[in-house]
């Protein structure tokens, strides 16, 4: 990080000020490639959350209301340009904090800029409607900001997932309190330096770093939060929903997945192999929409597996700063969890294949792993591993493929590889999944609404529907002409 975007360590960002947590305590973040300390970070608690919500409220009730939609658009564009101008600093910081390859950090920072630009374009197009009630009435709707939005964000794509919910919240006219993940909070703090130099009012953007069940729980339970965005695991999502229920705070939640990649016998196998590898080993499998289950037609099983093994052998694994294809996992506990799942797979009867050995003296590395011979009832076929582990299952018929694809509690994403348009669109129609990609994994972008079915969550982030979480609809009904009989409900 060059000097113009440094921020004081061990501080929260509240009401435009860098200040220690009320408890005066801190914790440390660690570089996953070296296990060395990166920064000390303030350990915020309920009182700090309270202060941040008060600052955001003052900003919402005061200056933010005075900003026209067109000016909100300009201010978001200003943020986008400022972030773009120091994208490389942010990419290096993201890699140090999260372990991901530098090229991926660069892509994610570019994606963060794109969120700001996209919602800058939407800020002055948040229209209401008129509702036909006949000549004696005018019924119109207005989409108002909710007020103060809370953002509890994960560590796997820290800045980009923050901007995914922050940009629409600000576009709609809200102010925000952010609780970044304790494993990788630094780019959320660095973003505060940009807000400080921008023309956004003080208190628009507040960051309370801290531990999930302290600062995060306090934010979810705070009565002054008008809408929450949560991305993370199912169990934490349940805790957030329960806390939010106390004040009927609406939550958009994007939770886990066990997304299938389905390869039919008519697929382009070279293309499928390259997409399958990208779908599971990008970010070391630590994306909620990672394509972690491969369902493959029996007749192409051997040729596809050969291609996967060949591609895995060519992957470069190493510290993110060296710009490999795959870096370490985020933390020691995630590494241990993933290794335990691989052992579970072995115990359940899967064949463990690691075509590429990795051996580093330090860092939370796990070799890209294929679990072959997986049966549908095994835990490794149903549970989210969140690491570079691909569970491979075979099918014979389309009906079997469809049944396997839906045979988990999740429903986030699915990839389909086929040359048949009927198959592709038939599966897209039938799968119980919120996001379907045909012949390219991770297809789509900021414009494409994203979110889960079933236990993968509800609500949609990205695209124009992504605004819905941060607006509320007001209906105004006007009686125009007195005299006639009122319309009955
Ligand atoms: P992981 O288990 O991979 O760390 P989580 O779903 O627990 O992922 O974390 C996602 C975000 O939720 C993080 O910012 C984390 O600090 C936060 N968090 C964790 N526990 C709670 C909780 N009880 N209430 C609110 N937020 C929490």
């Amino acid at each position: 990080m060059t000097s113009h975007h440094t921020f004081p360590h061990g501080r929260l960002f509240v009401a435009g000020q860098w200040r220690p947590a009320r408890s005066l305590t801190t914790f440390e973040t660690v570089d996953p490639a070296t296990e060395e300390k990166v920064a000390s970070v303030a350990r915020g608690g309920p009182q700090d959350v309270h202060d941040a919500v008060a600052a955001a409220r003052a900003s919402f009730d005061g200056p933010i209301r005075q900003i026209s939609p067109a000016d909100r658009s300009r201010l978001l564009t200003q943020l986008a340009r400022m972030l773009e101008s120091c994208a490389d600093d942010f990419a290096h910081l993201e890699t140090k904090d999260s372990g991901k390859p530098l090229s991926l950090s660069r892509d994610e920072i570019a994606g963060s800029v794109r969120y700001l630009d996209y919602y800058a374009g939407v800020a002055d197009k948040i229209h209401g409607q008129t509702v036909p009630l006949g000549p004696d009435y005018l019924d119109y709707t207005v989409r108002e900001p909710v007020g103060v939005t809370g953002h509890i964000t994960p560590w796997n794509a820290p800045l980009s997932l923050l901007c995914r919910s922050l940009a629409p919240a600000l576009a709609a006219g809200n102010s925000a309190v952010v609780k970044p993940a304790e494993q990788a909070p630094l780019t959320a703090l660095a973003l505060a330096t940009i807000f400080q130099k921008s023309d956004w009012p003080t208190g628009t953007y507040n960051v309370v770093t801290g531990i999930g069940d302290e600062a995060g729980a306090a934010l979810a339970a705070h009565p002054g939060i008008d809408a929450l965005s949560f991305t993370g695991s199912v169990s934490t999502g349940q805790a957030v929903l329960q806390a939010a229920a106390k004040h009927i705070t609406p939550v958009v939640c994007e939770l886990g997945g066990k997304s299938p990649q389905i390869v039919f016998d008519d697929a382009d196998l070279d293309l499928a192999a390259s997409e399958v590898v990208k779908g599971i080993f990008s970010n070391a499998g630590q994306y909620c929409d990672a394509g972690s289950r491969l369902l493959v037609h029996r007749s192409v099983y051997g040729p596809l597996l050969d291609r996967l093994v060949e591609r895995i052998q060519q992957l470069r694994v190493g510290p993110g700063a060296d710009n490999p294809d795959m870096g370490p996992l985020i933390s020691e506990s995630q590494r241990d969890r993933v290794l335990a799942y691989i052992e579970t797979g072995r115990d359940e009867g899967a064949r463990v294949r690691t075509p590429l050995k990795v051996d580093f003296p330090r860092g939370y590395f796990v070799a890209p792993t294929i679990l072959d011979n997986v049966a549908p009832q095994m835990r490794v076929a149903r549970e989210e591993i969140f690491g570079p582990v691909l569970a491979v299952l075979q099918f014979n018929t389309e009906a079997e493929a469809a049944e396997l694809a839906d045979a988990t509690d999740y429903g986030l994403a699915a990839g389909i590889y086929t040359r048949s348009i009927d198959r592709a669109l038939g599966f897209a129609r039938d799968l119980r999944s919120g996001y379907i990609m045909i012949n390219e994994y991770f297809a789509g972008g900021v414009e494409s609404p994203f979110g889960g079915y079933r236990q993968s969550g509800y609500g949609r982030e990205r695209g124009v529907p992504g605004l819905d979480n941060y607006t509320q609809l007001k209906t105004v009904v006007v009686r125009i002409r007195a005299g006639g009989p009122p319309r009955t409900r």
Side-chain angles (χ1 to χ4, degrees):
M1 211 67 181
T2 52
S3 56
H4 54 291
H5 287 295
T6 46
F7 48 88
H9 286 186
R11 297 282 198 276
L12 312 164
F13 186 70
V14 174
Q17 306 285 327
W18 295 99
R19 37 157 274 202
R22 296 245 176 189
S23 66
L24 300 178
T25 54
T26 58
F27 61 97
E28 291 185 351
T29 59
V30 163
D31 181 338
T34 60
E35 305 181 30
E36 279 162 15
K37 174 185 162 179
V38 176
S40 89
V41 178
R43 184 166 172 170
Q47 187 57 45
D48 300 298
V49 166
H50 190 72
D51 295 345
V53 173
R57 175 68 53 191
S59 159
F60 176 73
D61 285 341
I64 286 192
R65 277 189 198 278
Q66 307 306 319
I67 304 175
S68 72
D71 282 335
R72 290 204 299 268
S73 171
R74 285 191 200 102
L75 290 177
L76 280 166
T77 302
Q78 180 194 37
L79 280 185
R81 297 289 76 74
M82 292 170 87
L83 178 57
E84 197 170 43
S85 73
C86 52
D88 211 51
D89 293 349
F90 272 72
H92 279 93
L93 185 65
E94 198 77 293
T95 284
K96 212 168 179 37
D97 212 16
S98 72
K100 67 180 69 217
L102 200 48
S103 59
L104 198 53
S105 291
R106 289 198 170 107
D107 287 351
E108 290 184 7
I109 305 304
S112 308
V113 171
R114 176 76 188 118
Y115 279 117
L116 296 169
D117 276 325
Y118 179 85
Y119 288 103
V122 179
D124 55 358
K125 300 167 193 71
I126 307 177
H127 296 174
Q129 292 184 316
T130 57
V131 181
L133 284 179
D136 295 343
Y137 294 87
L138 169 64
D139 181 337
Y140 63 93
T141 64
V142 187
R143 292 180 68 188
E144 298 182 338
V146 292
V148 178
T149 57
H151 306 257
I152 300 176
T153 59
W155 46 258
N156 61 334
L159 191 70
S160 113
L161 292 183
L162 166 57
C163 289
R164 183 174 82 171
S165 67
L166 179 68
L170 297 188
N174 301 284
S175 58
V177 179
V178 175
K179 207 306 276 176
E182 50 270 46
Q183 296 87 345
L186 300 185
T187 46
L189 290 166
L191 189 63
T193 67
I194 289 187
F195 272 92
Q196 277 186 301
K197 293 187 190 115
S198 78
D199 295 320
W200 282 97
T202 300
T204 301
Y205 176 76
N206 303 274
V207 186
V208 181
T209 49
I211 310 300
D213 57 14
E214 299 172 3
L219 187 60
H222 199 284
I225 292 290
D226 299 302
L228 270 168
S229 164
F230 172 78
T231 303
S233 60
V234 173
S235 57
T236 303
Q238 287 167 328
V240 167
L241 288 169
Q242 273 168 6
K246 187 154 181 247
H247 302 291
I248 323 288
T249 308
V251 186
V252 50
C253 52
E254 198 232 288
L255 308 176
K258 188 75 179 176
S259 300
Q261 304 202 59
I262 312 169
V263 180
F264 290 99
D265 50 358
D266 66 345
D268 175 337
L269 290 189
D270 289 323
L271 172 111
S274 120
E275 294 302 312
V276 168
V277 165
K278 179 179 83 184
I280 182 60
F281 299 121
S282 293
N283 208 29
Q286 302 170 115
Y287 284 135
C288 20
D289 55 344
S292 53
R293 285 186 302 147
L294 172 61
L295 314 182
V296 48
H297 189 270
R298 192 184 44 157
S299 70
V300 292
Y301 188 86
L304 183 65
L305 267 274
D306 290 346
R307 284 169 169 81
L308 293 180
V309 165
E310 199 177 306
R311 282 182 181 275
I312 290 171
Q313 283 166 342
Q314 286 160 18
L315 291 178
R316 292 167 301 126
V317 178
D322 297 346
N323 209 12
D325 299 308
M326 201 179 102
L329 301 195
I330 185 75
S331 64
E332 187 175 7
S333 68
Q334 280 301 117
R335 187 219 23 221
D336 293 347
R337 193 173 160 273
V338 170
L339 292 177
Y341 261 115
I342 295 173
E343 282 319 301
T344 300
R346 201 191 302 276
D347 293 345
E348 288 179 309
R351 183 157 66 115
V352 180
R353 296 170 68 170
T354 48
L356 181 71
K357 306 294 173 217
V358 305
D359 187 18
F360 293 93
R362 300 185 73 79
Y364 311 125
F365 292 94
V366 174
T369 300
I370 294 178
L371 299 180
D372 198 353
N373 272 333
V374 170
Q377 71 282 1
M378 291 181 186
R379 283 182 57 201
V380 292
R382 314 174 76 89
E383 297 176 16
E384 183 175 50
I385 297 176
F386 223 66
V389 182
L390 180 69
V392 188
L393 296 90
Q394 289 191 42
F395 66 86
N396 287 311
T397 63
E398 283 196 12
E400 225 183 307
E403 197 185 316
L404 280 177
D406 283 337
T408 72
D409 293 331
Y410 295 110
L412 192 54
I416 298 170
Y417 304 96
T418 176
R419 288 189 171 100
S420 156
I421 191 160
D422 283 333
R423 247 181 199 163
L425 296 185
F427 267 74
R429 177 193 62 204
D430 295 339
L431 291 184
R432 291 200 289 163
S433 170
Y435 198 84
I436 314 271
M437 298 160 282
I438 297 168
N439 291 331
E440 184 186 303
Y441 213 78
F442 301 129
V446 166
E447 305 86 344
S448 319
F450 183 82
Y453 280 25
R454 295 184 284 162
Q455 289 189 18
S456 291
Y458 51 77
R460 293 293 175 266
E461 301 273 17
R462 312 199 315 199
V464 176
L467 281 173
D468 293 350
N469 312 311
Y470 312 107
T471 60
Q472 55 195 344
L473 199 70
K474 179 177 277 175
T475 303
V476 180
V477 190
V478 187
R479 178 74 200 268
I480 295 175
R481 193 191 317 134
R487 191 175 176 277
T488 49
R489 281 178 179 240

